[in-house]
Amino acid sequence: MINQVHHKTYILAALLTGCFFMQSCENDVNEVRELGRKKENVEEGRNIDSYLSMDGKMKAHLTAPLMLRYQGDTGRKTEFPRSLHVDFYNDSTTRIESQLSARYGRYMENESKVYLRDSVVAFNVKGDTLFCKEMYWDQNQQKFYTEKEVTISQRYPKKRFSGIGMNCNQDLTNLTLYKIQPGSFAMIADSLANGNGPAADTTHK
């Protein structure tokens, strides 16, 4: 039997989005439609608009058109089958330090990790950008990591690296890239290379 229930803001936050962020949370949901529809232990929420706060400071803002929460004997998981977007804040909602988007996401509550796949993109305020097909977001450690192919583009100094395997902070700092692939390059100012002229191209081939 399908139960049609319409909830707003804090009711949705308590039932659904609270499961997504495991630490101290403050969630707010706007214009949620057909919430609470249950079939085979699945809860459905639409137009998700959720916030994460830690130690009284806003840390992240999640938006997604659709969220499905599954409850089973072996644990609970939450899926975002139609894309999701996350803004990560520095100290308040006035400054976004990095952003993340993917066409699909799955939150594993027991591990406090989010699996992301399909056109995964993350970038920070410096213009550094990460592209990959799939990646994990570890909420406890506030890190991204993957064992798959990934491309990192940095604005200054200009670099573009492709590798197999990567881990970094969720603001794309402290980046470690494994198994660098052919075609990677870094543009180094010639003043650092020999003291004169334009930038030098150091390409990994």
Side-chain angles (χ1 to χ4, degrees):
M1 180 179 180
I2 299 176
N3 297 320
Q4 298 289 344
V5 183
H6 294 272
H7 293 273
K8 291 185 178 180
T9 55
Y10 297 104
I11 296 178
L12 176 63
L15 292 178
L16 294 177
T17 54
C19 75
F20 187 75
F21 295 118
M22 294 295 292
Q23 291 106 345
S24 175
C25 298
E26 295 176 1
N27 297 299
D28 180 26
V29 180
N30 298 316
E31 301 300 329
V32 177
R33 301 181 180 88
E34 298 180 8
L35 170 66
R37 185 169 66 181
K38 297 182 180 181
K39 185 177 182 180
E40 298 180 352
N41 296 321
V42 178
E43 295 177 331
E44 179 179 309
R46 296 180 182 273
N47 300 329
I48 303 304
D49 192 353
S50 179
Y51 289 86
L52 163 69
S53 66
M54 297 175 59
D55 300 326
K57 296 181 180 180
M58 198 67 66
K59 288 297 183 180
H61 178 204
L62 164 74
T63 56
L66 176 66
M67 180 173 70
L68 302 175
R69 187 185 186 194
Y70 300 85
Q71 299 187 23
D73 295 335
T74 59
R76 290 180 289 186
K77 68 177 182 179
T78 302
E79 284 189 322
F80 301 88
R82 297 181 184 172
S83 78
L84 73 158
H85 179 89
V86 183
D87 294 331
F88 297 100
Y89 297 100
N90 185 8
D91 295 320
S92 67
T93 55
T94 60
R95 180 182 176 187
I96 297 175
E97 64 180 9
S98 61
Q99 299 183 55
L100 166 70
S101 63
R103 291 184 179 178
Y104 173 87
R106 181 174 71 245
Y107 172 62
M108 297 162 286
E109 185 170 339
N110 293 338
E111 302 178 50
S112 297
K113 294 180 181 179
V114 181
Y115 168 71
L116 303 152
R117 73 165 188 244
D118 298 339
S119 301
V120 181
V121 179
F123 59 92
N124 62 18
V125 293
K126 298 178 181 179
D128 302 336
T129 308
L130 178 156
F131 306 91
C132 61
K133 293 182 178 179
E134 65 177 63
M135 182 176 73
Y136 286 89
W137 168 26
D138 187 321
Q139 290 186 296
N140 289 336
Q141 297 187 31
Q142 299 183 38
K143 288 182 175 294
F144 299 143
Y145 68 91
T146 183
E147 296 180 353
K148 304 296 184 177
E149 185 174 353
V150 59
T151 298
I152 307 293
S153 176
Q154 296 182 333
R155 180 174 295 179
Y156 185 82
K158 187 174 179 59
K159 300 177 183 179
R160 186 177 179 87
F161 292 106
S162 294
I164 308 296
M166 174 278 308
N167 72 75
C168 66
N169 295 335
Q170 65 189 27
D171 62 357
L172 305 187
T173 59
N174 294 332
L175 171 70
T176 301
L177 187 65
Y178 305 102
K179 297 182 181 178
I180 296 178
Q181 300 299 293
S184 300
F185 70 89
M187 299 295 290
I188 302 175
D190 199 59
S191 59
L192 298 178
N194 56 29
N196 296 295
D201 182 358
T202 59
T203 304
H204 180 82
K205 298 181 180 179

